[in-house]
Amino acid sequence: MTLIGIGVIIIGVAAIILAIFIGHTLNNLASVLSGVDKTVQQLPAQLDGIFKETGDMIHESNQTLADVNDKLQQLSPLFYMVGDVGNATRKFSSSLVDVTDSVKARTEAGRDIADKNNLGGLYGSFALGYYWLKKRREMKREERDYTNE
């Protein structure tokens, strides 16, 4: 046997080993492709189920939205009433502010006149006298009620 024969035998053995390796790899690839084929065959049924569930969910969402709209429509008069009460309260409070401002202006004008004419002590004396008179009458009335019992 010559060197060429030995080289051909080595190349043949290497080719056989390479063919066995490639055959094994292709066999594994075939089993993977078979699994992919089964998955792809199940995909339409799964997508049909998903689309059916999505359609049902959209239908339920539409019904819920219609129900919410109906309930809001029923509540809208209440919201209008609350708005009217708010407007009335605002108008009332603004009129109270106007009255308070006018009383404050009159009080300040009266205070200016009293300060100008030195009447502050005089008004205070009248107020104190009126208070004492009122208290005295009240005490007499209580004594009278107590003695009559």
Side-chain angles (χ1 to χ4, degrees), residues 23-39:
H24 183 67
T25 304
L26 289 177
N27 192 17
N28 287 339
L29 181 62
S31 65
V32 168
L33 289 177
S34 173
V36 169
D37 183 45
K38 288 179 185 176
T39 303

Side-chain angles (χ1 to χ4, degrees), residues 57-93:
M57 186 175 67
I58 289 172
H59 179 69
E60 290 294 323
S61 298
N62 287 338
Q63 285 182 343
T64 303
L65 185 60
D67 187 42
V68 167
N69 285 335
D70 183 46
K71 289 179 180 175
L72 280 176
Q73 193 174 25
Q74 292 174 2
L75 283 177
S76 57
L78 178 67
F79 293 137
Y80 290 131
M81 288 180 357
V82 169
D84 291 342
V85 168
N87 287 335
T89 305
R90 181 184 49 81
K91 288 178 183 177
F92 179 70
S93 63

Side-chain angles (χ1 to χ4, degrees), residues 97-114:
V97 167
D98 293 341
V99 168
T100 305
D101 286 343
S102 66
V103 168
K104 182 180 175 184
R106 287 187 210 149
T107 305
E108 288 174 356
R111 187 179 307 133
D112 290 343
I113 292 172

Side-chain angles (χ1 to χ4, degrees), residues 1-16:
M1 251 211 205
T2 64
L3 287 177
I4 293 180
I6 294 177
V8 170
I9 290 177
I10 292 177
I11 290 174
V13 170
I16 290 175

